[in-house]
Amino acid sequence: MSTPDKDINNKKSIKKNSFFSFLTTSLRVIANFFLFWTIARFYGPEIFGQFTYAFTVITIFLYLADFGLDILLTTDLPRDLSQLNIIFNELLTIKLIFICISSSLLFVYAFIVNISNAVFQLLVILNIYLIATSFLNYLFAFFRALEKLEIETKITFIYNLFVIITVSLLYIFKFEVVYLAFSLVFFRLIALFLAFQWSLKYIDKIRIKIKFGLLKKYKSKVSIFGTHYIFNYLYYNIDTVLLAYLTGEKSVGIFQAAFKLLVILLIIPEIINNALLPALSRLNNEDILIWEKYSSLLNKILMIIIFPATILVYANAHSIIDIVYANSQYNYSAVILKYYVLIIAIRFMIEPLGLLLTTSNKQHVRAYTVLFVTIISIIMNILLIQKYGVIGVVLTGLVSNSIILITYIFFSYNICKKWYFNYKNVHFLLSIILFAITIVFIKSIFAHIFLYLIYLTVFGYFIFLTSEEKALISAYK
């Protein structure tokens, strides 16, 4: 049962986690955006396409190396902190096995797949980046499990400061992109060293012991979390790999120019997910009612942010691309941006439902769903990219994300009834229609941004949220 002291501790914990999650994710997104924007704007679509293609491939193999073990550590450790050393070392041992497998497969991929010399060089260099990042992700997950997100924030700040400085030098001195890859590897190793030193404050001793019994012990959980983890990323990013293979690296640059802008929106659910995952995992064991309240609040916050934002981006896609890239080679990116933002809206709706399933020990639903949808996505991408080019990626994304949303709603139907079928959502729908009409009659993008901020404040906070939900937010002191 919930007590006043527990409620206060939950609010303080979530507030602190939200703050540091916001800082960490924002720092990473700002640095990555600056990195990709510099390459896109000053090196052109082809080199940008080569770099983003190589990075996408690296990230796919990184997810294989992580195989959901980070999420498993973040959710399992808070449930039983008395087993901290045992859980940390056992999952780290399994992680090492997956890192070795993933790194080896990446070398095989680089040698057997038909790619340009530039991409081949990037893949070989960034393989070390993959290894360092996978270990670093594990340590960050450990800090999140302990609800010590400030450590990740400090290390992320140092790493991304180096990245921003390096990217600036890259542009000023016109270095080749391959030198940037070397720099990213070097800075990643520094970040890993810092995280390792910090982890020793909480771990008695790090022990790596390869034992068959470990795989047997964690087989069911690792397979579920790993399947979801790798296929969840794969179905979101396989389009980039297929696009490069079927239409060339320049098409990847055109697509990624739009997608990298929309990633900025995706930091919002990521921030909330990182902040709430450990707390909700704990609350699901301690107090279901409080667990439901925070989940509902998350859903409403994401809804009120993304739907008017989708309208704003849809109406101003061409202006956004012109302002950001100032390069006529990216004109078609505006079309991608205009329609892909609809997929981002669906992903915002998916996020709180996915968090419900993960924290209520129903991760298998997510795993099987993304496995099925990834297969559909690969087939649709192959067919539609050949017929429609880059826009085929958008059509595939709309279908595959819709399937996931419908599936998650089905498995959380009782909660979804409370979330969606109420008078508040009728008012919300009417407000969105009114917002869209207003956008149509006012042409300035800056006026649209101002209206968006007013909408979030006036309707989002003062009207859409209930007094109890506002209390959950304002009580963070």
Side-chain angles (χ1 to χ4, degrees):
M1 289 295 292
S2 176
T3 65
D5 288 341
K6 278 188 177 181
D7 285 346
I8 292 171
N9 289 335
N10 287 331
K11 290 169 184 176
K12 286 182 177 179
S13 174
I14 293 171
K15 177 192 175 182
K16 184 189 75 169
N17 291 347
S18 299
F19 174 71
F20 286 112
S21 180
F22 170 76
L23 286 181
T24 301
T25 308
S26 299
L27 288 168
R28 188 175 69 249
V29 169
I30 289 169
N32 283 343
F33 177 77
F34 186 66
L35 164 66
F36 288 112
W37 173 77
T38 302
I39 297 172
R41 181 157 181 158
F42 300 109
Y43 286 82
E46 187 168 357
I47 293 178
F48 179 57
Q50 291 170 352
F51 189 81
T52 52
Y53 169 50
F55 228 87
T56 300
V57 172
I58 288 294
T59 309
I60 289 173
F61 282 93
L62 174 61
Y63 271 67
L64 175 60
D66 291 345
F67 209 71
L69 291 163
D70 305 336
I71 299 176
L72 182 57
L73 180 67
T74 305
T75 55
D76 270 24
L77 193 56
R79 300 178 194 272
D80 190 3
L81 288 173
S82 64
Q83 299 293 309
L84 185 148
N85 287 281
I86 294 173
I87 294 173
F88 178 91
N89 285 308
E90 288 183 343
L91 290 179
L92 180 60
T93 302
I94 299 172
K95 174 103 170 184
L96 179 61
I97 296 171
F98 279 100
I99 289 174
C100 292
I101 293 172
S102 180
S103 180
S104 301
L105 289 177
L106 178 59
F107 272 119
V108 174
Y109 179 92
F111 279 101
I112 68 173
V113 175
N114 183 23
I115 53 179
S116 65
N117 289 332
V119 174
F120 176 81
Q121 289 179 342
L122 289 171
L123 290 179
V124 172
I125 295 166
L126 291 174
N127 200 340
I128 304 172
Y129 175 91
L130 179 155
I131 295 169
T133 302
S134 188
F135 279 120
L136 185 61
N137 286 347
Y138 186 81
L139 294 177
F140 283 166
F142 174 63
F143 299 140
R144 288 188 211 117
L146 298 178
E147 301 193 46
K148 301 287 183 181
L149 277 74
E150 64 272 17
I151 300 174
E152 182 180 358
T153 300
K154 293 173 183 176
I155 296 171
T156 301
F157 174 78
I158 295 169
Y159 170 79
N160 286 310
L161 179 62
F162 282 136
V163 170
I164 290 173
I165 293 171
T166 303
V167 172
S168 301
L169 294 174
L170 174 77
Y171 167 63
I172 293 170
F173 295 102
K174 305 298 180 184
F175 289 133
E176 293 182 12
V177 174
V178 68
Y179 293 108
L180 175 61
F182 279 117
S183 301
L184 293 177
V185 170
F186 178 69
F187 298 144
R188 212 56 164 172
L189 290 171
I190 292 176
L192 177 59
F193 174 77
L194 293 174
F196 174 74
Q197 292 299 314
W198 238 304
S199 69
L200 294 178
K201 296 179 180 180
Y202 305 97
I203 296 293
D204 293 338
K205 189 174 181 181
I206 295 179
R207 295 183 178 91
I208 302 293
K209 291 185 179 180
I210 307 295
K211 295 187 294 186
F212 178 76
L214 279 183
L215 292 175
K216 187 175 181 181
K217 177 179 178 180
Y218 289 99
K219 181 178 68 174
S220 59
K221 284 189 175 182
V222 169
S223 60
I224 292 298
F225 275 82
T227 300
H228 170 258
Y229 196 66
I230 181 65
F231 281 100
N232 187 58
Y233 183 82
L234 196 59
Y235 97 83
Y236 278 134
N237 293 275
I238 192 64
D239 44 22
T240 298
V241 176
L242 292 173
L243 199 59
Y245 182 76
L246 295 172
T247 63
E249 292 159 358
K250 186 174 181 179
S251 295
V252 174
I254 298 298
F255 170 71
Q256 287 289 332
F259 182 74
K260 293 302 180 187
L261 293 177
L262 293 172
V263 167
I264 296 172
L265 286 175
L266 289 175
I267 72 170
I268 299 168
E270 182 178 348
I271 289 168
I272 300 174
N273 194 332
N274 289 340
L276 288 181
L277 183 58
L280 287 180
S281 295
R282 174 168 45 82
L283 288 171
N284 184 259
N285 277 352
E286 296 175 358
D287 196 316
I288 290 295
L289 290 178
I290 299 298
W291 175 76
E292 288 187 0
K293 286 179 182 179
Y294 279 112
S295 301
S296 176
L297 178 60
L298 164 61
N299 178 65
K300 293 184 78 169
I301 289 173
L302 292 181
M303 283 175 61
I304 200 66
I305 290 173
I306 192 57
F307 283 99
T310 300
I311 294 168
L312 190 154
V313 173
Y314 185 91
N316 295 284
H318 290 278
S319 298
I320 293 170
I321 293 296
D322 288 341
I323 291 170
V324 173
Y325 297 111
N327 189 329
S328 59
Q329 294 185 76
Y330 291 107
N331 285 344
Y332 196 67
S333 298
V335 178
I336 306 302
L337 183 67
K338 187 173 186 176
Y339 295 106
Y340 206 92
V341 72
L342 303 176
I343 298 173
I344 300 300
I346 298 173
R347 285 176 65 167
F348 264 62
M349 296 182 69
I350 288 172
E351 192 62 38
L353 295 172
L355 198 59
L356 278 182
L357 294 171
T358 297
T359 57
S360 60
N361 294 314
K362 295 179 182 176
Q363 186 73 9
H364 63 282
V365 174
R366 302 187 72 178
Y368 296 142
T369 302
V370 295
L371 175 60
F372 172 71
V373 171
T374 300
I375 296 171
I376 292 177
S377 179
I378 292 173
I379 296 171
M380 288 188 66
N381 269 310
I382 292 172
L383 296 175
L384 296 180
I385 288 174
Q386 292 183 89
K387 188 172 182 179
Y388 299 108
V390 183
I391 203 68
V393 173
V394 180
L395 296 173
T396 301
L398 284 170
V399 173
S400 60
N401 281 276
S402 297
I403 293 173
I404 291 177
L405 177 61
I406 292 168
T407 304
Y408 285 7
I409 289 175
F410 176 80
F411 283 97
S412 304
Y413 180 71
N414 290 331
I415 292 178
C416 287
K417 281 196 301 183
K418 300 175 186 177
W419 283 6
Y420 301 127
F421 298 105
N422 55 66
Y423 286 111
K424 283 282 184 181
N425 278 340
V426 174
H427 298 154
F428 173 64
L429 179 60
L430 293 174
S431 74
I432 287 296
I433 294 172
L434 181 61
F435 181 83
I437 293 171
T438 306
I439 291 293
V440 169
F441 285 100
I442 299 175
K443 301 300 181 183
S444 169
I445 183 175
F446 300 105
H448 292 173
I449 294 171
F450 177 73
L451 286 171
Y452 174 73
L453 296 175
I454 294 295
Y455 177 86
L456 289 184
T457 304
V458 176
F459 180 83
Y461 184 78
F462 290 105
I463 299 175
F464 189 52
L465 297 181
T466 65
S467 57
E468 184 179 13
E469 288 165 340
K470 281 183 276 192
L472 287 176
I473 297 174
S474 61
Y476 293 154
K477 295 181 180 177

